[in-house]
């Protein structure tokens, strides 16, 4: 799983740094393995990082912004966290964040990213949640079990 986090950070690093945002990677001990579709998980992390960049770019109150991608392992699960000090979400955006086709980005958003992210995480038997304060920033947390139960395993071919 460490490779998935590092890859997501590397894939967005150029975009993040070109906007003057500081990116920090905090991979804690015990990350280990997770029974997961690494491509799907990478897509979720990339979406959250892209959203964090957009939130930082929207916020003109700070001269420098920070995004942190973190991961830590426990015996039965792995936890990921994407934190930004960008614009934060309005009350309406918080209420509808995971709704299909809802976007607070206007014409530049599709309203698919967080909806799909939640679907991917739930299919893996995990959960995704967030805290956001308008004008302060947002933190998304993902918790995935190390092993999927039979109820959430993909059908075998």
């Amino acid at each position: 799983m460490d490779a998935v986090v590092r890859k997501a950070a590397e894939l967005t690093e150029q975009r993040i740094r070109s906007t003057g945002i500081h990116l920090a990677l905090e991979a804690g001990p015990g990350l280990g393995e997770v029974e997961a579709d690494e491509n799907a998980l990478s897509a979720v992390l990339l979406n959250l990082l892209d959203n964090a960049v957009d939130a930082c770019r929207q916020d003109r109150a700070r001269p420098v912004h920070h995004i942190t991608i973190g991961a830590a392992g426990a015996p039965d699960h792995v936890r990921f966290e994407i934190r930004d000090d960008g614009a934060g979400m309005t009350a309406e955006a918080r209420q509808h964040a995971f709704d299909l086709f809802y976007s607070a980005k206007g014409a530049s958003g599709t309203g698919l990213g967080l909806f799909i992210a939640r679907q991917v995480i739930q299919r893996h038997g995990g959960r995704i949640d967030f805290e956001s304060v308008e004008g302060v920033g947002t933190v998304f947390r993902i918790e995935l079990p190390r092993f999927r139960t039979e109820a959430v395993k993909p059908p075998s071919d």
Side-chain angles (χ1 to χ4, degrees):
M1 275 300 105
D2 185 55
V4 171
V5 174
R6 290 189 188 286
K7 182 178 179 181
E10 288 171 8
L11 288 172
T12 56
E13 184 175 20
Q14 183 175 0
R15 179 174 181 235
I16 289 170
R17 297 218 189 275
S18 72
T19 60
I21 299 168
H22 293 275
L23 175 65
L25 178 60
E26 297 176 352
L31 203 50
E33 295 301 314
V34 173
E35 186 179 349
D37 178 337
E38 290 187 8
N39 290 329
L41 184 55
S42 289
V44 168
L45 295 176
L46 286 170
N47 176 263
L48 295 176
L49 285 168
D50 281 341
N51 287 349
V53 170
D54 291 343
C56 289
R57 291 177 67 192
Q58 287 176 344
D59 181 32
R60 304 276 188 237
R62 292 179 189 84
V64 177
H65 286 281
H66 297 84
I67 296 174
T68 303
I69 178 170
D76 63 341
H77 69 273
V78 173
R79 185 176 181 124
F80 302 92
E81 187 174 283
I82 308 254
R83 178 183 309 270
D84 71 68
D85 63 358
M89 293 184 201
T90 65
E92 179 182 3
R94 287 191 304 270
Q95 182 179 359
H96 297 287
F98 294 112
D99 290 356
L100 181 60
F101 301 126
Y102 176 82
S103 176
K105 296 179 185 180
S108 67
T110 63
L112 294 173
L114 291 178
F115 176 82
I116 292 171
R118 183 173 64 176
Q119 297 298 311
V120 167
I121 299 305
Q122 288 176 341
R123 277 197 317 266
H124 282 80
R127 63 184 181 85
I128 181 171
D129 61 19
F130 68 93
E131 294 174 30
S132 185
V133 177
E134 193 171 2
V136 176
T138 302
V139 58
F140 273 88
R141 292 181 188 92
I142 297 170
E143 191 171 290
L144 289 178
R146 290 209 180 267
F147 301 99
R148 293 194 231 182
T149 63
E150 291 300 318
V152 295
K153 285 192 180 201
S156 48
D157 295 332

